[in-house]
PDB file of all heavy atoms in Angstrom:
ATOM      1  N   LEU B  12      -7.255 -33.083 -19.806  1.00 96.00           N
ATOM      2  CA  LEU B  12      -5.802 -33.036 -19.565  1.00 96.00           C
ATOM      3  C   LEU B  12      -5.096 -32.037 -20.485  1.00 96.00           C
ATOM      4  O   LEU B  12      -3.914 -31.726 -20.262  1.00 96.00           O
ATOM      5  CB  LEU B  12      -5.181 -34.419 -19.754  1.00 96.00           C
ATOM      6  CG  LEU B  12      -5.796 -35.555 -18.920  1.00 96.00           C
ATOM      7  CD1 LEU B  12      -4.961 -36.822 -19.059  1.00 96.00           C
ATOM      8  CD2 LEU B  12      -5.913 -35.162 -17.450  1.00 96.00           C
ATOM      9  N   GLY B  13      -5.793 -31.564 -21.505  1.00 94.00           N
ATOM     10  CA  GLY B  13      -5.191 -30.577 -22.413  1.00 94.00           C
ATOM     11  C   GLY B  13      -3.883 -31.093 -22.971  1.00 94.00           C
ATOM     12  O   GLY B  13      -3.782 -32.257 -23.376  1.00 94.00           O
ATOM     13  N   ASP B  14      -2.858 -30.218 -22.968  1.00 93.00           N
ATOM     14  CA  ASP B  14      -1.532 -30.611 -23.458  1.00 93.00           C
ATOM     15  C   ASP B  14      -0.559 -30.684 -22.275  1.00 93.00           C
ATOM     16  O   ASP B  14       0.553 -30.166 -22.328  1.00 93.00           O
ATOM     17  CB  ASP B  14      -1.034 -29.640 -24.527  1.00 93.00           C
ATOM     18  CG  ASP B  14      -1.182 -28.183 -24.095  1.00 93.00           C
ATOM     19  OD1 ASP B  14      -1.716 -27.921 -22.981  1.00 93.00           O
ATOM     20  OD2 ASP B  14      -0.753 -27.293 -24.856  1.00 93.00           O
ATOM     21  N   ALA B  15      -0.988 -31.347 -21.215  1.00 93.00           N
ATOM     22  CA  ALA B  15      -0.169 -31.486 -19.995  1.00 93.00           C
ATOM     23  C   ALA B  15       1.237 -31.964 -20.358  1.00 93.00           C
ATOM     24  O   ALA B  15       1.384 -32.962 -21.063  1.00 93.00           O
ATOM     25  CB  ALA B  15      -0.833 -32.466 -19.035  1.00 93.00           C
ATOM     26  N   PRO B  16       2.269 -31.263 -19.863  1.00 92.00           N
ATOM     27  CA  PRO B  16       3.636 -31.569 -20.266  1.00 92.00           C
ATOM     28  C   PRO B  16       4.189 -32.861 -19.661  1.00 92.00           C
ATOM     29  O   PRO B  16       5.152 -33.414 -20.177  1.00 92.00           O
ATOM     30  CB  PRO B  16       4.437 -30.359 -19.760  1.00 92.00           C
ATOM     31  CG  PRO B  16       3.623 -29.803 -18.637  1.00 92.00           C
ATOM     32  CD  PRO B  16       2.199 -30.075 -18.987  1.00 92.00           C
ATOM     33  N   ASP B  17       3.625 -33.318 -18.561  1.00 94.00           N
ATOM     34  CA  ASP B  17       4.081 -34.569 -17.957  1.00 94.00           C
ATOM     35  C   ASP B  17       2.981 -35.111 -17.044  1.00 94.00           C
ATOM     36  O   ASP B  17       1.951 -34.460 -16.844  1.00 94.00           O
ATOM     37  CB  ASP B  17       5.393 -34.360 -17.175  1.00 94.00           C
ATOM     38  CG  ASP B  17       5.286 -33.219 -16.180  1.00 94.00           C
ATOM     39  OD1 ASP B  17       4.189 -32.996 -15.611  1.00 94.00           O
ATOM     40  OD2 ASP B  17       6.296 -32.518 -15.970  1.00 94.00           O
ATOM     41  N   GLN B  18       3.213 -36.281 -16.487  1.00 94.00           N
ATOM     42  CA  GLN B  18       2.199 -36.939 -15.670  1.00 94.00           C
ATOM     43  C   GLN B  18       1.884 -36.122 -14.407  1.00 94.00           C
ATOM     44  O   GLN B  18       0.739 -36.045 -13.972  1.00 94.00           O
ATOM     45  CB  GLN B  18       2.704 -38.348 -15.283  1.00 94.00           C
ATOM     46  CG  GLN B  18       1.665 -39.273 -14.703  1.00 94.00           C
ATOM     47  CD  GLN B  18       0.621 -39.735 -15.728  1.00 94.00           C
ATOM     48  OE1 GLN B  18       0.782 -39.575 -16.939  1.00 94.00           O
ATOM     49  NE2 GLN B  18      -0.486 -40.277 -15.225  1.00 94.00           N
ATOM     50  N   LEU B  19       2.933 -35.499 -13.855  1.00 93.00           N
ATOM     51  CA  LEU B  19       2.747 -34.733 -12.620  1.00 93.00           C
ATOM     52  C   LEU B  19       1.761 -33.576 -12.807  1.00 93.00           C
ATOM     53  O   LEU B  19       1.024 -33.223 -11.887  1.00 93.00           O
ATOM     54  CB  LEU B  19       4.101 -34.185 -12.125  1.00 93.00           C
ATOM     55  CG  LEU B  19       4.088 -33.576 -10.726  1.00 93.00           C
ATOM     56  CD1 LEU B  19       3.720 -34.607  -9.664  1.00 93.00           C
ATOM     57  CD2 LEU B  19       5.452 -32.945 -10.407  1.00 93.00           C
ATOM     58  N   ALA B  20       1.753 -32.997 -14.000  1.00 93.00           N
ATOM     59  CA  ALA B  20       0.849 -31.868 -14.266  1.00 93.00           C
ATOM     60  C   ALA B  20      -0.613 -32.288 -14.161  1.00 93.00           C
ATOM     61  O   ALA B  20      -1.492 -31.451 -13.956  1.00 93.00           O
ATOM     62  CB  ALA B  20       1.143 -31.268 -15.639  1.00 93.00           C
ATOM     63  N   ALA B  21      -0.868 -33.593 -14.275  1.00 95.00           N
ATOM     64  CA  ALA B  21      -2.248 -34.084 -14.202  1.00 95.00           C
ATOM     65  C   ALA B  21      -2.549 -34.736 -12.857  1.00 95.00           C
ATOM     66  O   ALA B  21      -3.462 -35.544 -12.717  1.00 95.00           O
ATOM     67  CB  ALA B  21      -2.512 -35.076 -15.327  1.00 95.00           C
ATOM     68  N   LYS B  22      -1.807 -34.324 -11.820  1.00 94.00           N
ATOM     69  CA  LYS B  22      -1.923 -34.921 -10.493  1.00 94.00           C
ATOM     70  C   LYS B  22      -3.348 -34.820  -9.925  1.00 94.00           C
ATOM     71  O   LYS B  22      -3.873 -35.780  -9.352  1.00 94.00           O
ATOM     72  CB  LYS B  22      -0.939 -34.177  -9.574  1.00 94.00           C
ATOM     73  CG  LYS B  22      -0.690 -34.817  -8.238  1.00 94.00           C
ATOM     74  CD  LYS B  22       0.294 -33.945  -7.434  1.00 94.00           C
ATOM     75  CE  LYS B  22      -0.027 -34.047  -5.963  1.00 94.00           C
ATOM     76  NZ  LYS B  22       0.559 -32.971  -5.154  1.00 94.00           N
TER      77      LYS B  22
END
Side-chain angles (χ1 to χ4, degrees):
Chain B
L12 305 188
D14 48 358
D17 52 33
Q18 193 70 13
L19 190 62
K22 192 181 148 198

